[in-house]
Amino acid sequence: MRSKIVAGNWKMNKTLSETEVLVTELAAKLPDTDAEVMVAPTYVNLVGAVRYLEGSAIEVIAQNMHFAESGAYTGEISADMLLGIGIETVIIGHSERRSIFGETDEILAKKVIAALEKNLRVIFCFGEELEDRKSGNHFNIVSDQLKDGLFNLKPEVWSKVVLAYEPVWAIGTGETASPEQAQEMHTFIRRTISNEYDDSIAENVSILYGGSVKPNNAQEIFSKPDVDGGLIGGASLNADDFIAIIKAI
Ligand code: PEP
């Protein structure tokens, strides 16, 4: 059974004291929900966030990790470091990691394997650029990203994989894929996984939509049968907005 998930990616926002304020407010206002709720503060504030959220149903997750176990990788963080502070889920392949930090499909595939080998859960992000959508190449791009990033995985590890379809043209732009566009792509993603693996894996994987999800559009997007939740950027930085999005699911 796939789960519903609302995850907030805070990116490079919030100091430690701001993190405390935001997570405390979120914990206090968290509605009853059958969705998993997650927040991804920046690395240096993960330990603090875990501590502030002790006893809360909100999971603290990481925005990224390196594929190596340890070693000379200045500025990087390993899977063991995340596990050591109680983190069980990591986002891999966010479009900002791909476009700003040059993470290729090959690097991302190594990260996914490294995370899964350590039994971390992976939220794997992918999605097409505006030119791909305009030229009608978006299905090919998404299919290639899935193939390069994930299709070397053994079927049994798919229970630890969550997908986040994030059309790059909708991230931080205020422009959202229509609920129909999201549903169409999520259906395509499930079909692609089913063709590569089987129906059971395709049906059981949670597929989140990301790209300018806000309180005023969340309900419509989440109402689509193949949209299992959202990866939320900007709107996750405000407690009331994030809570409204959680309520929408
Ligand atoms: C994101 O960065 O994953 C994202 C979806 O951002 P926003 O909600 O701000 O578009």
Side-chain angles (χ1 to χ4, degrees):
M1 253 292 276
R2 57 200 201 226
S3 42
K4 291 187 183 301
I5 298 171
V6 179
N9 175 13
W10 294 5
K11 311 189 184 186
M12 198 176 73
N13 292 293
K14 305 286 178 190
T15 61
L16 182 60
S17 56
E18 290 165 345
T19 297
E20 179 172 13
V21 170
L22 181 51
V23 294
T24 305
E25 194 176 348
L26 288 174
K29 293 181 173 173
L30 188 69
D32 257 353
T33 173
D34 58 359
E36 296 181 54
V37 177
M38 306 172 177
V39 292
T42 186
Y43 287 130
V44 291
N45 297 333
L46 287 173
V47 175
V50 168
R51 198 171 304 142
Y52 305 138
L53 284 171
E54 225 175 280
S56 154
I58 302 173
E59 181 185 350
V60 179
I61 69 173
Q63 297 178 16
N64 181 31
M65 58 166 259
H66 197 268
F67 53 77
E69 284 241 344
S70 62
Y73 298 97
T74 301
E76 292 291 336
I77 310 287
S78 73
D80 281 336
M81 290 172 187
L82 296 177
L83 290 165
I85 56 167
I87 302 296
E88 296 176 346
T89 303
V90 58
I91 299 170
I92 291 178
H94 190 278
S95 71
E96 286 146 21
R97 297 299 318 172
R98 293 174 187 263
S99 65
I100 303 172
F101 300 101
E103 294 191 0
T104 59
D105 288 327
E106 194 187 351
I107 291 173
L108 297 175
K110 283 162 94 171
K111 289 188 176 204
V112 170
I113 288 170
L116 292 171
E117 272 175 356
K118 294 286 181 178
N119 213 23
L120 281 161
R121 193 179 189 192
V122 169
I123 300 181
F124 183 75
C125 305
F126 55 94
E128 81 282 0
E129 309 264 349
L130 186 58
E131 310 85 79
D132 306 318
R133 169 71 56 173
K134 280 186 174 159
S135 65
N137 202 30
H138 44 299
F139 293 116
N140 289 334
I141 295 289
V142 162
S143 152
D144 285 348
Q145 288 170 327
L146 289 171
K147 181 166 148 263
D148 294 341
L150 300 176
F151 285 178
N152 56 346
L153 297 177
K154 295 204 168 76
E156 54 270 24
V157 299
W158 271 81
S159 58
K160 301 285 282 188
V161 175
V162 171
L163 303 178
Y165 167 60
E166 300 205 297
V168 178
W169 47 272
I171 296 180
T173 59
E175 195 158 330
T176 324
S178 69
E180 292 69 31
Q181 285 173 320
Q183 171 61 23
E184 181 186 39
M185 184 57 90
H186 287 213
T187 310
F188 171 78
I189 292 164
R190 269 189 227 289
R191 198 167 53 239
T192 306
I193 294 170
S194 173
N195 290 341
E196 181 69 23
Y197 290 90
D198 58 34
D199 277 354
S200 158
I201 290 180
E203 280 307 311
N204 285 308
V205 68
S206 296
I207 310 179
L208 316 184
Y209 168 79
S212 299
V213 176
K214 307 286 178 199
N216 64 359
N217 59 22
Q219 196 161 8
E220 221 188 327
I221 294 170
F222 294 161
S223 71
K224 292 296 173 190
D226 284 296
V227 177
D228 303 310
L231 183 56
I232 320 299
S236 70
L237 297 171
N238 175 285
D240 288 334
D241 286 351
F242 194 53
I243 293 292
I245 291 170
I246 295 165
K247 284 183 178 160
I249 206 166

